Amino acid sequence: MTSLAARVAREFGSPALVVDLDVVERNVARLQAACDGVGVANRPHVKTHKSPVLARIQVDAGAKGITCQKLGEAEVMAQAGIDDILISYNILGTDKVGRLGRLLAGTRVSVCADNATVVAGLPEAGAIAGRPLGVLVECDTGRERAGVTTPEEAVALARDIAGREGLSFEGLLLYAPEDRIAQTQAFLDEILAGLRAYGLVPRIVSTGGTPNLRNLGRIRGATEHRSGTSIFNDRMMMACGAAALEDCALHVVATVVSRAAPDRGILDSGSKTLTSDTGGGLDGFGLIREYPQARIARFAEEHGFLDLSSSPEKPAVGEVVRVVPNHVCVTVNMHDCYVAVRGEEIVGEIPVAARGRLA
Amino acid sequence: MTSLAARVAREFGSPALVVDLDVVERNVARLQAACDGVGVANRPHVKTHKSPVLARIQVDAGAKGITCQKLGEAEVMAQAGIDDILISYNILGTDKVGRLGRLLAGTRVSVCADNATVVAGLPEAGAIAGRPLGVLVECDTGRERAGVTTPEEAVALARDIAGREGLSFEGLLLYAPEDRIAQTQAFLDEILAGLRAYGLVPRIVSTGGTPNLRNLGRIRGATEHRSGTSIFNDRMMMACGAAALEDCALHVVATVVSRAAPDRGILDSGSKTLTSDTGGGLDGFGLIREYPQARIARFAEEHGFLDLSSSPEKPAVGEVVRVVPNHVCVTVNMHDCYVAVRGEEIVGEIPVAARGRLA
């Protein structure tokens, strides 16, 4: 019988982005159960899949709402009827604040901020919507990305938010390094004490990250969690122990197009298909399920360089394989459409509807 | 006066992909003059820009035709009236060969092949089109990507092509490492001698690469050249001496959204905007024109981590900057549209029409 991968390639072309909805549903249920188990609300991050169809599966399974990383993602989700959206990003500039206000007029939406410049621009969104915009203070407990770096700054920014017409202080956004839970707890406790002194209570304390699911329930005061990658999983999640191979719902179907020497070959999927994301230092650029010892050693834009020297079996030209990406979030972002399957059956197509949208 | 970058961000959002058509036209003219100067036809590679509008500028400046890396790119270009298309890739599978045949029916198109499996599938395209498909033999002289690795294989594959109804032997495709011109010449000479013994003459001997423009005219027998990146240039081209900063026609307009500590900040452009392509080992993920000593140290999906420790001036939250990408070809592929400018003036939008197309 022709393999699923070969049928996908024949019907939809190669390379193709394939999602197994059976595995998705298992992954979604597992995340929801983990959140339910510790009494933390589930607010999955849709930056991973960028699809209202998949967001709906998450909400129907019990998610309280969703997280977006860009305003454009939130607009697409809201238009599809997804409500209660947290945009975990500093929204800045009159154009974006205007869009945010129009979004807020019809959808429950909150944003985060880590500085006073951003906070000062946000009231206009509340004014446009005719109701206050909820704002969370983004806190950094060691990742050194965005986020205020001291509890004092967090409290000051919360007071700034609470004091502005058009805004309401909604809570705190955390994205703790996985090995800094104690420090994050101390940081959070200090903020909470500081806020109490001013009569401020966070409605939301949001934690984040699929690798941090192992810490779920370990931060006292956390009310909800943002997990993106767990809907699909990938080589990064396998490497950090957050998933097994059978939990990987997303593949790139790719074809071997050249075997110019005994120990090497070329896949028709390169950096424009899988991206050159190393997944934080993984060896190679993806896992070929049919040839797990073949190494995707490097990329040109449309060429995946296969090192077959350690692979006892070697694929022939024309063979179609499934690649587990290093990092699904960036891989999905390269594609306009998923081919949806259930096990060995092709069941349809799902647009990556929020891809390429304005920030 | 408000900077161009800030006006782009306000009118089109941030991040945005910006192309300066004045610089494009200079770059296109320079490439054409270089090819004309040594009597080699210019067949620019449109994988870089994926836009029929920009391909038309190249053809109007004197390009003989264009090069595509995917069938989907060629389909978009042909639909826009661009003729004489070389697809520098092994086309494989009945679906793709069928599309190729339908394309060939209305457009001059040739492909390359490096193995007998691919060659055996191609005659169907000629049969569909009702005229022979030109096929070039892809040769590898050291890059170890695709391509036959010996002159004997090249001659054998050329004979295979020439002997099949529905195909015509069109020539040879080279992509020599920049420092292997003598070896490439020897390889080519041996193929040409071998072909002569069978009465075969290549109509096309195609060389490739923007860095190889410094070798233009140095391979005897080459008839045309494929250069992609030179239309825009980037940090890779600056690093290898193929371009200067003023030759860079493409920028990502990005906004500083966080400055959580004195020596760091966050740009609203991460791996989903600029890609995690290191440009072959460049330091950092792009050059900020306004802050050349700021380092884009790493990426999250929508976060560019700025290390400002070596930058005497440091941007404030809300400041809009222009980033020269490490690698323009993969950066363009992330976007659906260019904002076109001429100097300080915004002149319109150009769709990245061939992005996201089927291979």
Side-chain angles (χ1 to χ4, degrees):
Chain A
M1 183 189 164
T2 312
S3 74
L4 173 75
R7 282 181 283 131
V8 167
R10 199 175 54 210
E11 290 181 39
F12 298 90
S14 169
L17 187 71
V18 176
V19 63
D20 189 318
L21 295 179
D22 287 344
V23 184
V24 162
E25 286 168 2
R26 282 207 307 271
N27 291 343
V28 166
R30 189 183 306 117
L31 172 63
Q32 188 63 49
C35 290
D36 291 348
V38 294
V40 163
N42 178 25
R43 187 185 290 280
H45 207 317
V46 305
K47 57 144 192 172
T48 302
H49 58 69
K50 291 181 181 262
S51 158
V53 174
L54 299 179
R56 177 61 61 196
I57 291 174
Q58 295 173 312
V59 170
D60 288 349
K64 175 192 182 186
I66 61 168
T67 311
C68 294
Q69 202 72 332
K70 313 202 304 186
L71 191 49
E73 290 169 5
E75 289 165 339
V76 169
M77 295 294 158
Q79 196 159 24
I82 307 287
D83 195 23
D84 196 347
I85 300 173
L86 166 62
I87 304 175
S88 52
Y89 208 82
N90 283 325
I91 304 293
L92 196 60
T94 52
D95 170 61
K96 287 215 177 94
V97 169
R99 287 165 56 200
L100 180 59
R102 293 187 289 279
L103 181 67
L104 178 64
T107 305
R108 273 179 296 169
V109 57
S110 55
V111 300
C112 74
D114 78 348
N115 66 76
T117 305
V118 167
V119 169
L122 291 175
E124 178 65 14
I128 291 170
R131 59 168 166 168
L133 173 69
V135 183
L136 287 75
V137 174
E138 182 167 0
C139 302
D140 177 26
T141 60
R143 211 171 279 267
E144 299 202 338
R145 196 166 82 169
V148 297
T149 57
T150 66
E152 294 71 28
E153 288 174 275
V155 172
L157 208 55
R159 292 184 64 203
D160 185 1
I161 294 162
R164 288 180 186 266
E165 199 168 344
L167 301 185
S168 70
F169 169 63
E170 194 73 8
L172 304 168
L173 186 107
L174 302 169
Y175 184 25
E178 292 79 20
D179 57 354
R180 292 215 187 184
I181 299 308
Q183 296 94 322
T184 300
Q185 184 72 63
F187 192 101
L188 173 59
D189 289 345
E190 208 174 321
I191 297 173
L192 294 174
L195 291 174
R196 268 192 301 270
Y198 296 101
L200 292 172
V201 178
R203 275 188 286 268
I204 291 175
V205 175
S206 172
T207 57
T210 292
N212 261 329
L213 288 173
R214 68 168 183 257
N215 294 316
L216 208 59
R218 291 183 55 211
I219 295 183
R220 289 182 312 278
T223 66
E224 53 182 69
H225 190 75
R226 318 177 305 279
S227 165
T229 311
S230 63
I231 188 171
F232 294 149
N233 294 308
D234 54 22
R235 278 184 93 208
M236 280 171 82
M237 292 308 108
M238 289 170 62
C240 76
L245 184 56
E246 63 266 27
D247 304 322
C248 290
L250 193 101
H251 298 94
V252 167
V253 157
T255 304
V256 177
V257 294
S258 173
R259 282 291 316 281
D263 276 346
R264 57 182 171 83
I266 295 292
L267 272 189
D268 64 355
S269 297
S271 59
K272 283 180 173 171
T273 299
L274 283 155
T275 89
S276 37
D277 198 309
T278 61
L282 296 172
D283 181 56
F285 290 96
L287 169 69
I288 301 178
R289 288 192 72 145
E290 294 80 0
Y291 298 91
Q293 287 164 289
R295 197 168 161 263
I296 304 179
R298 56 200 174 95
F299 276 152
E301 291 156 49
E302 307 289 358
H303 296 78
F305 290 65
L306 298 179
D307 172 359
L308 303 171
S309 55
S310 299
S311 183
E313 305 290 318
K314 300 177 206 293
V317 169
E319 203 163 330
V320 183
V321 297
R322 290 168 301 160
V323 181
V324 179
N326 280 355
H327 186 185
V328 286
C329 306
V330 293
T331 299
V332 168
N333 186 52
M334 309 303 279
H335 298 265
D336 291 336
C337 205
Y338 301 92
V339 177
V341 305
R342 286 187 183 274
E344 291 294 308
E345 192 191 351
I346 298 170
V347 296
E349 288 180 275
I350 299 174
V352 186
R355 198 215 71 81
R357 293 304 166 126
L358 287 171
Chain B
M1 183 189 164
T2 312
S3 74
L4 174 74
R7 282 181 284 133
V8 166
R10 199 174 54 210
E11 291 182 37
F12 297 90
S14 169
L17 187 71
V18 175
V19 62
D20 189 319
L21 296 179
D22 287 344
V23 184
V24 162
E25 287 169 1
R26 282 208 306 272
N27 291 344
V28 166
R30 188 184 305 114
L31 172 62
Q32 189 63 49
C35 290
D36 291 348
V38 296
V40 163
N42 178 26
R43 187 185 291 279
H45 207 317
V46 306
K47 58 145 190 172
T48 303
H49 58 70
K50 293 182 180 260
S51 159
V53 173
L54 298 178
R56 178 59 61 195
I57 291 175
Q58 296 173 310
V59 169
D60 288 349
K64 177 191 181 187
I66 61 167
T67 310
C68 294
Q69 202 72 335
K70 313 205 300 188
L71 191 50
E73 291 168 4
E75 288 166 339
V76 169
M77 295 292 158
Q79 197 158 23
I82 306 286
D83 195 22
D84 197 346
I85 299 173
L86 166 61
I87 304 174
S88 51
Y89 208 84
N90 284 325
I91 303 293
L92 196 61
T94 52
D95 169 62
K96 286 214 179 95
V97 169
R99 287 164 59 200
L100 181 60
R102 295 188 288 279
L103 181 66
L104 178 65
T107 305
R108 274 179 297 170
V109 56
S110 54
V111 299
C112 74
D114 79 347
N115 66 75
T117 305
V118 168
V119 169
L122 291 174
E124 179 65 15
I128 291 169
R131 58 168 167 170
L133 172 69
V135 183
L136 287 76
V137 174
E138 181 167 1
C139 303
D140 176 25
T141 61
R143 210 171 280 266
E144 299 201 338
R145 195 166 81 170
V148 298
T149 57
T150 66
E152 294 70 31
E153 288 174 275
V155 172
L157 207 55
R159 292 184 64 201
D160 184 1
I161 294 162
R164 287 180 187 267
E165 201 167 343
L167 301 185
S168 71
F169 169 63
E170 194 73 9
L172 304 168
L173 186 108
L174 302 169
Y175 185 23
E178 291 78 19
D179 57 354
R180 291 215 185 184
I181 299 308
Q183 296 94 322
T184 301
Q185 184 72 63
F187 192 102
L188 174 59
D189 289 346
E190 207 175 321
I191 297 173
L192 294 174
L195 291 175
R196 266 193 301 273
Y198 296 102
L200 292 171
V201 179
R203 275 187 286 268
I204 291 175
V205 175
S206 172
T207 57
T210 292
N212 261 329
L213 288 173
R214 67 168 186 257
N215 294 316
L216 208 60
R218 289 183 57 210
I219 294 182
R220 288 182 313 278
T223 66
E224 53 183 69
H225 189 75
R226 318 178 306 278
S227 165
T229 311
S230 62
I231 189 170
F232 293 149
N233 294 307
D234 54 22
R235 278 184 93 208
M236 280 172 83
M237 293 306 108
M238 288 170 63
C240 76
L245 184 57
E246 64 264 27
D247 304 322
C248 290
L250 193 102
H251 299 95
V252 166
V253 158
T255 304
V256 177
V257 294
S258 173
R259 281 292 314 282
D263 276 346
R264 56 183 172 85
I266 295 291
L267 272 189
D268 64 355
S269 297
S271 60
K272 283 180 173 171
T273 299
L274 283 155
T275 89
S276 38
D277 198 310
T278 60
L282 295 172
D283 181 55
F285 289 96
L287 169 69
I288 302 178
R289 289 192 72 146
E290 294 81 358
Y291 298 91
Q293 286 163 291
R295 195 166 162 265
I296 304 179
R298 56 201 175 93
F299 276 152
E301 290 155 50
E302 308 288 358
H303 295 77
F305 290 65
L306 297 180
D307 172 0
L308 303 171
S309 54
S310 300
S311 184
E313 305 289 318
K314 300 177 206 293
V317 169
E319 203 165 329
V320 183
V321 297
R322 290 169 301 160
V323 181
V324 179
N326 281 355
H327 186 185
V328 287
C329 306
V330 292
T331 300
V332 167
N333 187 53
M334 310 302 279
H335 299 265
D336 290 337
C337 206
Y338 301 94
V339 178
V341 304
R342 288 186 181 276
E344 291 295 307
E345 192 191 353
I346 298 170
V347 297
E349 289 182 272
I350 299 174
V352 185
R355 197 215 71 80
R357 292 305 166 126
L358 287 172

